[in-house]
Amino acid sequence: MIKLKSFTFNPFSENTYILYDETKECIIIDAGCYEAEEQHEIVSFIENNNLKPVKLINTHSHIDHVLGNKFISDKYKIPLQMNQLDLEGLRQAHIYGTMWGINMQPSPMPDAYLSEGDILTFGNSELKTLFTPGHSMGSISFYSEKDGFVISGDVLFQMSIGRTDLPGGDFDTLIKSISQKLYTLPDKTIVYSGHGEPTTIGFEKLNNPFVNK
């Protein structure tokens, strides 16, 4: 069974997730830890639970989701994986940081790329990769059928959706991703988003004003 721990980090209130199981292997999704106290918080959780980080994953490459990439990569010597279409955004993230007054160290480059249908494994657990572009060109989500949840990045939020006015964003593509990839999951599926509180697929199908026009 996959256990999930969420953290809210950096000036953008981004959700970082640690997923782990009974083997104590864990993956870190969207490392947004920027300040020293945020870095200490995530390291303390890993150490206090005797976890072994094995992979660093990005749902997409916007700055708020990659601020901690270098720290985590250097600390644990683990590979970074993401979708290849967001590679240029990853390369440019530290440059965008200057626009926000954020002094970000450039992220390491990915060791491997994830595409639709790829299975992400750790310990005894696995997640299915869903290609869900629209917020960015290479946005991906991760679904656990066994444990009934999806990590949606900035694709779908509680009664909202990801913005599409940034480079690589497209509203029609985003709505298609939600409708064809996320809304086809069971209604009880918990949605862990890149910002805000968790929701469920069923709740969003009934209440999300952006998708259900």
Side-chain angles (χ1 to χ4, degrees):
M1 178 179 179
I2 298 176
K3 297 181 179 180
L4 182 148
K5 170 66 177 177
S6 65
F7 305 84
T8 301
F9 287 150
N10 67 55
F12 303 96
S13 296
E14 177 267 352
N15 290 332
T16 293
Y17 296 101
I18 293 181
L19 277 59
Y20 60 103
D21 66 14
E22 62 277 2
T23 69
K24 297 296 185 177
E25 285 194 356
C26 72
I27 61 172
I28 301 166
I29 299 181
D30 290 346
C33 45
Y34 173 62
E35 301 289 352
E37 57 267 29
E38 296 174 344
Q39 296 170 354
H40 176 73
E41 183 180 357
I42 195 168
V43 169
S44 294
F45 180 84
I46 290 170
E47 292 179 349
N48 291 339
N49 289 276
N50 298 311
L51 300 181
K52 178 186 178 182
V54 293
K55 292 174 183 175
L56 173 61
I57 309 297
N58 285 151
T59 61
H60 63 293
S61 62
H62 289 162
I63 183 172
D64 48 333
H65 292 255
V66 305
L67 278 170
N69 275 7
K70 181 169 175 53
F71 171 79
I72 293 296
S73 179
D74 288 350
K75 175 74 175 176
Y76 297 109
K77 311 302 180 188
I78 55 177
L80 171 65
Q81 299 181 18
M82 59 180 290
N83 184 269
Q84 190 168 7
L85 292 177
D86 258 30
L87 186 58
E88 187 58 31
L90 187 69
R91 290 194 180 106
Q92 300 294 324
H94 68 286
I95 298 175
Y96 287 114
T98 61
M99 300 169 57
W100 298 92
I102 294 174
N103 183 22
M104 171 192 169
Q105 293 181 300
S107 171
M109 292 295 103
D111 296 81
Y113 297 106
L114 295 166
S115 301
E116 173 72 23
D118 286 347
I119 303 299
L120 178 63
T121 61
F122 61 98
N124 295 327
S125 302
E126 62 180 38
L127 300 168
K128 181 179 180 181
T129 304
L130 306 177
F131 182 53
T132 51
H135 176 65
S136 72
M137 291 179 62
S139 288
I140 48 178
S141 302
F142 300 98
Y143 175 53
S144 170
E145 180 178 5
K146 180 179 178 181
D147 293 295
F149 70 82
V150 64
I151 308 288
S152 70
D154 284 3
V155 176
L156 179 65
F157 302 125
Q158 185 182 80
M159 296 188 69
S160 189
I161 60 174
R163 59 189 296 180
T164 56
D165 59 339
L166 298 173
D170 182 82
F171 179 81
D172 291 338
T173 301
L174 181 64
I175 297 301
K176 182 178 179 180
S177 291
I178 295 171
S179 299
Q180 296 185 3
K181 297 293 181 64
L182 299 184
Y183 275 14
T184 57
L185 302 178
D187 285 354
K188 65 181 179 180
T189 303
I190 300 171
V191 180
Y192 294 106
S193 304
H195 302 269
E197 296 298 316
T199 184
T200 66
I201 293 297
F203 180 86
E204 295 309 313
K205 286 165 70 173
L206 290 173
N207 297 285
N208 194 300
F210 297 94
V211 187
N212 304 316
K213 291 183 178 180

